[in-house]
Amino acid sequence: MKRREFLHHTACAAGAAWIHPSTFVPYSAALPALPRKFAASDTVTLGKTGIQTSRLAMGTGTVGSGHHSHQTALGVKGLSNLLLNGYDHGLRFFDSADSYGSHPHVAEALKHVPRDKVTVLTKTWARDPATARADLDRFRRELGTDYLDVCLMHCLTEGDWTDRYKGVMDILSEGKEKGIIRAHGCSCHSIEALRTATKSPWVEVHLVRINPIGAYMDSPPDTVVSVIREMRAAGKGIIGMKILGQGELRTRQDEALSFALGLNLLDAFTIGAESQSEQEDLIRRIAAA
């Protein structure tokens, strides 16, 4: 890997750690009381994709890079059991990525559940068509599935990414035409890339960093929320990430969850639990929000 690529991967794995939470101010708009009860297991639809899944996605990439994460450290059996525990509690959304190294763990879980009852999302670092095509084949082998529900371009930072990486976009579009993937989109790690994604009709699903204190986000919460509103108006599928600010909100979980739910803009959100007790506590907190 070239040094520039290594630095890019490292920065993205750290959640754009060069942007410290203290840089931002908390979300300024007062959130009204939640209009109704929510559940982690609520069935939601991702934008206009027609893909139905659970409100809470089970993240597998807390501090994920170099094919490793806090979740993959549990081992194939440990993480698979965690995913299956979530399934038993109504969670139907497996959030994986090549860079997390979590494909074998998800594959093991998929052996024990009906494939059509779960949503499998993964992400590719491909920046050229040949790598993208190879990734689609490899990912399906590693996951033990004929198709991917959602495949995202991972950690985009360039404002001109839709021009720069059009070849990758074309391969993912071709994959959708062939039934290899059901929907494509991106995860962005800069406000410039996020604005470009919002304007692109190619992007069907966005993975967006959002929390009330601006921790490890692309811009202050007010700014990101305004962009998410544009996404919603365009009918995009929106999945929130960094809901707990990569641990910055570990003692303020209820506030963070109420914020995410109260925006009424996210179709779903992903959080990576590291134990069954943590996962079940999260499920309870969402229900109590």
Side-chain angles (χ1 to χ4, degrees):
M1 182 184 293
K2 296 178 182 178
R3 182 175 182 275
R4 181 173 179 273
E5 293 172 337
F6 171 78
L7 293 173
H8 178 68
H9 280 234
T10 303
C12 289
W18 61 85
I19 304 176
H20 192 273
S22 63
T23 305
F24 298 147
V25 296
Y27 185 65
S28 61
L31 289 171
L34 296 184
R36 61 183 178 85
K37 286 290 186 180
F38 292 89
S41 60
D42 286 341
T43 298
V44 302
T45 303
L46 301 180
K48 296 179 179 179
T49 66
I51 296 173
Q52 293 190 319
T53 190
S54 59
R55 185 177 304 282
L56 178 63
M58 293 178 279
T60 63
T62 302
V63 193
S65 67
H67 303 284
H68 183 270
S69 73
H70 288 185
Q71 284 72 33
T72 59
L74 299 173
V76 171
K77 182 173 176 56
L79 179 49
S80 171
N81 286 343
L82 183 60
L83 295 172
L84 292 174
N85 184 68
Y87 183 89
D88 288 342
H89 284 80
L91 306 186
R92 299 292 185 263
F93 201 165
F94 297 171
D95 172 21
S96 65
D98 185 33
S99 64
Y100 308 159
S102 58
H103 288 169
H105 311 69
V106 172
E108 179 60 30
L110 288 176
K111 294 176 183 177
H112 305 282
V113 298
R115 175 63 183 89
D116 63 350
K117 299 299 183 184
V118 293
T119 299
V120 176
L121 179 152
T122 192
K123 313 171 191 81
T124 174
W125 279 97
R127 297 300 189 257
D128 64 83
T131 302
R133 191 183 301 278
D135 277 357
L136 288 182
D137 290 337
R138 177 169 60 86
F139 291 2
R140 288 180 295 141
R141 287 197 306 272
E142 292 176 348
L143 288 160
T145 180
D146 293 333
Y147 67 94
L148 310 171
D149 293 288
V150 183
C151 187
L152 304 180
M153 296 178 66
H154 202 172
C155 197
L156 294 167
T157 59
E158 301 89 348
D160 65 346
W161 70 265
T162 50
D163 294 325
R164 190 179 299 207
Y165 305 128
K166 186 178 184 304
V168 175
M169 296 164 64
D170 290 343
I171 294 300
L172 295 185
S173 294
E174 177 186 298
K176 182 179 177 183
E177 291 171 5
K178 293 180 176 179
I180 292 172
I181 62 176
R182 297 176 64 195
H184 43 60
C186 61
S187 73
C188 294
H189 284 244
S190 79
I191 192 63
E192 294 81 13
L194 192 67
R195 291 189 189 283
T196 298
T198 301
K199 293 178 174 63
S200 171
W202 178 87
V203 177
E204 298 170 312
V205 178
H206 292 259
L207 193 57
V208 185
R209 302 191 292 182
I210 184 68
N211 58 69
I213 64 171
Y216 302 99
M217 284 174 49
D218 303 318
S219 202
D222 282 334
T223 300
V224 174
V225 168
S226 70
V227 176
I228 294 176
R229 286 200 179 98
E230 293 180 33
M231 295 177 189
R232 172 60 63 198
K236 310 284 192 180
I238 307 169
I239 305 166
M241 61 173 169
K242 302 297 182 190
I243 301 299
L244 300 180
Q246 198 166 302
E248 295 284 338
L249 287 157
R250 65 173 63 87
T251 62
R252 299 162 61 184
Q253 294 182 62
D254 295 334
E255 175 188 348
L257 292 169
S258 292
F259 172 78
L261 295 166
L263 289 173
N264 200 32
L265 294 171
L266 307 178
D267 295 317
F269 50 83
T270 180
I271 301 177
E274 296 177 36
S275 68
Q276 291 187 8
S277 60
E278 186 176 292
Q279 182 184 70
E280 291 169 16
D281 178 68
L282 182 60
I283 291 169
R284 284 192 295 268
R285 288 177 183 274
I286 292 172

